[in-house]
Amino acid sequence: MEKILITGGKKLSGTVKISGSKNASLPILVATLLTDEDCLVKNVPHLQDVETILALLKILGKRISRHNKNIKISSTYRLDSEAPYELVKKMRASILVMGPLLGRLGRVRASLPGGCAIGARPINLHLQGFRKLGAKVSLERGYVQLDAPRLHGANIYLDFPSVGATENLMMAATRAKGKTVIENAASEPEIQDLAHFLNKMGAKIKGAGTNIIKVEGVNVLSGTIHEVIPDRIETGTFMVAAAVTGGDVVIRGANPEHLEAVMTKLREAGAKITLNNKEIRVSSGKNLKATDIETVPYPGFPTDMQAQWMVLMSLSKGTSIITETVFENRFLHVGELQRMGSNIQVKGNSAIVKGILKLSGAPVMATDLRASAALILAALSAEGKTEIFGVNHLDRGYEDIERKLRRLGARIKRIKE
């Protein structure tokens, strides 16, 4: 068992380099199932979720070689069609193998997913879309069985702009016969990066980044080389870290265009943000003010930044309202922040946050990936020492976060018990 020990009260200052995007890396690595040729994916972060997806690709019949942040994926003699429970239970993104396997093999058997405890997150949108593409869907003993001798193009409307469903259906449609149109599609930068990768492989995808994606199916996809975009949620987390500690941090290797909503809200709250090409400088004094947010699909304020924002609002002057519209169970971090002194009241899908002067260090438990990041931010700004347990969640989505924070002056260390 591991824990993170933080002594707070230190303003962060210096420069931090952003890693490649976890949420872009996972579907891109999975998309290599669509070809037998070699693919080289660059700028892939060292994360537990990446290791899980690589282990799954090996089981399915891929050969993996890694040099630093570059991953080469090659084919072996056989591609399997079953994604087992032992791996899929660890991470929801594992269900993304359904689309490419269905497109390549005409069949797939995959365990129902696991992952963070942030709501039900059903896969009905994925399955409805696969049915539209001509697949027969059956559920048995915790597994989804999909069968389709040859997928065909279709018009698909998503009831919600689900990122995972958009990715899964887009990958399947690259090998379907004819044209597929996905309406009310997710438009996140990670969707655009996946489409860019697929088009390099020979796919014919238009409209990625808008709410209508058009895919013309092809018979064969080839290998390619691709560099993953920077992680916008890691970027946003360090931006809030600078603001919540009253620090001055330069963030390198980021893409400011992917964080317009977060930067707008940070400026409203009183932080100073300066942009210089792919650098973002964030500085802040102690006069932050309460600012409401509502999480919505991209390009709105991301749900993956909600917990971090709650920490900032806990130390801002006035009362703010944080409304969560994407996931129904994403306030699990509230109780832990209250242990540190935050004044937060939850009503339905909204949290009312009354700002206080300071937080106090305390033992706390991380409940999911972004909650663990929020607790680190709270601990950095708190008076005294904080012990954070459940840090296995942190390793799923933040590469070398302790080292990066130490370089900015944070007093943070990981302890094995």
Side-chain angles (χ1 to χ4, degrees), residues 96 158 215:
L96 292 176
L158 298 178
V215 185

Side-chain angles (χ1 to χ4, degrees), residues 205-219:
I205 302 172
K206 295 180 180 179
T210 74
N211 62 356
I212 299 178
I213 296 176
K214 298 178 181 180
V215 185
E216 188 73 43
V218 297
N219 290 325

Side-chain angles (χ1 to χ4, degrees), residues 239-240 243 249 251 256 259-268 270-276 279-284 309:
M239 292 171 72
V240 173
V249 175
I251 302 167
L259 287 150
E260 293 286 355
V262 174
M263 290 192 297
T264 297
K265 287 298 180 178
L266 276 170
R267 288 185 172 117
E268 283 183 29
K272 182 180 179 182
I273 300 176
T274 306
L275 304 180
N276 180 20
E279 287 189 355
I280 306 172
R281 181 178 179 181
V282 182
S283 58
S284 171
W309 189 259

Side-chain angles (χ1 to χ4, degrees), residues 36-104:
D36 283 330
E37 296 184 13
D38 293 353
C39 292
L40 179 62
V41 186
K42 299 181 176 181
N43 198 32
V44 180
H46 288 271
L47 298 170
Q48 188 56 54
D49 277 10
V50 170
E51 295 306 314
T52 299
I53 215 72
L54 292 178
L56 180 55
L57 289 177
K58 286 180 182 178
I59 285 177
L60 294 173
K62 288 291 188 177
R63 183 180 293 112
I64 311 294
S65 59
R66 183 165 196 162
H67 180 67
N68 201 3
K69 294 178 183 288
N70 298 333
I71 297 178
K72 181 181 178 181
I73 302 178
S74 310
S75 292
T76 58
Y77 65 94
R78 177 175 173 269
L79 193 61
D80 203 339
S81 63
E82 181 167 329
Y85 171 75
E86 289 73 21
L87 286 173
V88 179
K89 70 177 181 179
K90 296 180 180 179
M91 184 180 64
R92 179 178 175 80
S94 300
I95 62 170
L96 292 176
V97 302
M98 293 195 297
L101 287 177
L102 185 62
R104 273 293 304 279

Side-chain angles (χ1 to χ4, degrees), residues 106-280:
R107 66 187 182 280
V108 59
R109 185 172 185 262
S111 170
L112 291 171
C116 285
I118 53 174
R121 305 167 79 187
I123 63 168
N124 59 302
L125 296 180
H126 303 243
L127 302 184
Q128 289 169 8
F130 289 138
R131 286 192 181 99
K132 286 274 190 178
L133 293 172
K136 179 182 177 183
V137 179
S138 57
L139 301 173
E140 183 179 274
R141 297 175 64 117
Y143 276 78
V144 180
Q145 177 78 36
L146 304 174
D147 292 283
R150 179 71 194 269
L151 297 175
H152 56 74
N155 290 333
I156 302 170
Y157 179 86
L158 298 178
D159 293 333
F160 178 83
S162 161
V163 172
T166 301
E167 292 169 339
N168 233 340
L169 297 173
M170 189 165 66
M171 287 189 283
T174 62
R175 295 295 298 268
K177 184 179 180 180
K179 179 184 287 188
T180 298
V181 179
I182 306 171
E183 296 186 68
N184 199 30
S187 59
E188 273 78 356
E190 296 79 15
I191 298 286
Q192 299 173 51
D193 206 29
L194 174 60
H196 189 202
F197 176 73
L198 291 169
N199 283 338
K200 283 183 178 181
M201 295 173 72
K204 297 179 180 179
I205 302 172
K206 295 180 180 179
T210 74
N211 62 356
I212 299 178
I213 296 176
K214 298 178 181 180
V215 185
E216 188 73 43
V218 297
N219 290 325
V220 178
L221 292 173
S222 60
T224 190
I225 299 173
H226 182 77
E227 182 169 331
V228 173
I229 59 174
D231 196 304
R232 63 191 173 100
I233 303 303
E234 184 193 19
T235 304
T237 299
F238 275 102
M239 292 171 72
V240 173
V244 80
T245 62
D248 188 346
V249 175
V250 175
I251 302 167
R252 288 183 177 165
N255 190 332
E257 294 179 3
H258 296 166
L259 287 150
E260 293 286 355
V262 174
M263 290 192 297
T264 297
K265 287 298 180 178
L266 276 170
R267 288 185 172 117
E268 283 183 29
K272 182 180 179 182
I273 300 176
T274 306
L275 304 180
N276 180 20
N277 196 11
K278 290 186 181 268
E279 287 189 355
I280 306 172

Side-chain angles (χ1 to χ4, degrees), residues 265-334:
K265 287 298 180 178
L266 276 170
R267 288 185 172 117
E268 283 183 29
K272 182 180 179 182
I273 300 176
T274 306
L275 304 180
N276 180 20
N277 196 11
K278 290 186 181 268
E279 287 189 355
I280 306 172
R281 181 178 179 181
V282 182
S283 58
S284 171
K286 292 188 176 181
N287 296 318
L288 295 170
K289 60 182 180 180
T291 306
D292 298 344
I293 62 145
E294 178 177 322
T295 65
V296 290
Y298 188 84
F301 196 95
T303 181
D304 281 350
M305 284 298 303
Q306 177 257 108
Q308 299 93 308
W309 189 259
M310 190 175 290
V311 176
L312 187 67
M313 291 299 97
S314 293
L315 293 166
S316 298
K317 186 177 181 180
T319 300
S320 59
I321 299 176
I322 296 174
T323 305
E324 174 62 56
T325 70
V326 180
F327 294 122
E328 74 278 9
N329 194 24
R330 210 166 196 181
F331 285 147
L332 296 177
H333 50 276
V334 169

